[in-house]
Amino acid sequence: GAVVSQHPSWVICKSGTSVKIECRSLDFQATTMFWYRQFPKQSLMLMATSNEGSKATYEQGVEKDKFLINHASLTLSTLTVTSAHPEDSSFYICSARDLGLAGAYEQYFGPGTRLTVT
Amino acid sequence: RKEVEQDPGPFNVPEGATVAFNCTYSNSASQSFFWYRQDCRKEPKLLMSVYSSGNEDGRFTAQLNRASQYISLLIRDSKLSDSATYLCVVNKGAPARQLTFGSGTQLTVLP
């Protein structure tokens, strides 16, 4: 089955530093990957849609200069949280859609990255 | 109004019970519908897609009413391992096919 990995699975960093999170589709190609954020006891909120070879599309209220997204290949997208602050502490999850499944709506989720900013 | 609304629960039920979750969505142009399951501190995993004709997968039955913009999930003979948060998810359709998640309904199955 389709597998999506994320690295790191958890990270603790000091306020003001930047953190990079990687999302990889391991056994399929994905032109589109999605980045979500989930705060405790809340739902997943879409942050941005990452398209291979082009700029990401950010949801309203998400600062593109703070959450830098790069989708350099069909199997890798990265999210960099720049100058992280305690309020950025959250569970970040990526998902990917299989390019090979025409018309497919299903997304495959990575295991998530738990970020704690102290 | 939220795009996808669910009763947050929690639902605490005994093993073997039947439990039903409801969900409503606001965008009538939504294309496809899913139930995901999320365990604590884990990523969501697809439980089942939801079709207008209704569909069943073992102990799980999903129903969709497009006219009422209403989705349901029925779990029969609940097991301890069914304890999780159940997320109602709606797809907005082309071009991006983004998923919109409900806030989830928490289920605890008690021994």
Side-chain angles (χ1 to χ4, degrees):
Chain A
V3 178
V4 176
S5 71
Q6 272 185 252
H7 178 80
S9 55
W10 60 270
V11 58
I12 301 173
C13 70
K14 291 187 177 180
S15 188
T17 60
S18 295
V19 174
K20 179 186 281 189
I21 303 170
E22 291 186 351
C23 176
R24 292 181 186 273
S25 56
L26 298 186
D27 51 1
F28 66 99
Q29 293 183 323
T31 52
T32 304
M33 291 184 173
F34 302 89
W35 286 96
Y36 296 85
R37 180 168 54 183
Q38 186 177 32
F39 293 106
K41 297 192 182 296
Q42 294 187 26
S43 186
L44 276 74
M45 296 299 296
L46 180 65
M47 298 175 67
T49 302
S50 168
N51 299 297
E52 186 265 336
S54 64
K55 291 183 179 180
T57 303
Y58 290 81
E59 294 300 299
Q60 192 172 10
V62 178
E63 299 175 57
K64 63 180 180 181
D65 294 329
K66 181 170 180 62
F67 299 99
L68 301 178
I69 292 173
N70 183 279
H71 193 153
S73 76
L74 288 173
T75 59
L76 173 65
S77 176
T78 60
L79 168 68
T80 301
V81 183
T82 62
S83 187
H85 291 285
E87 57 265 30
D88 297 323
S89 299
S90 187
F91 190 44
Y92 291 86
I93 309 174
C94 73
S95 72
R97 199 164 57 218
D98 191 337
L99 175 66
L101 299 177
Y105 288 84
E106 184 176 341
Q107 295 178 19
Y108 302 97
F109 286 84
T113 298
R114 195 160 299 278
L115 170 64
T116 302
V117 184
T118 61
Chain B
R1 182 186 172 189
K2 291 181 182 178
E3 288 189 61
V4 181
E5 295 211 53
Q6 291 181 252
D7 181 342
F11 284 61
N12 298 317
V13 303
E15 242 183 317
T18 295
V19 60
F21 304 138
N22 303 318
C23 169
T24 57
Y25 61 95
S26 61
N27 187 344
S28 60
S30 298
Q31 298 286 322
S32 51
F33 311 88
F34 308 92
W35 282 101
Y36 276 74
R37 169 194 170 130
Q38 186 175 26
D39 293 289
C40 188
R41 303 174 82 85
K42 299 281 189 181
E43 77 277 21
K45 298 199 175 188
L46 179 66
L47 180 65
M48 58 197 303
S49 301
V50 188
Y51 304 112
S52 297
S53 55
N55 49 301
E56 187 175 307
D57 183 1
R59 298 181 292 109
F60 299 84
T61 301
Q63 295 272 355
L64 167 65
N65 184 321
R66 284 189 182 267
S68 304
Q69 296 179 199
Y70 171 90
I71 306 162
S72 66
L73 176 68
L74 184 76
I75 305 176
R76 290 183 301 278
D77 188 23
S78 52
K79 312 289 185 192
L80 296 177
S81 57
D82 293 335
S83 298
T85 296
Y86 290 83
L87 303 169
C88 177
V89 184
V90 172
N91 188 295
K92 292 184 180 180
R97 304 183 203 160
Q98 295 170 348
L99 297 180
T100 300
F101 286 78
S103 55
T105 299
Q106 187 179 341
L107 171 66
T108 301
V109 180
L110 304 169

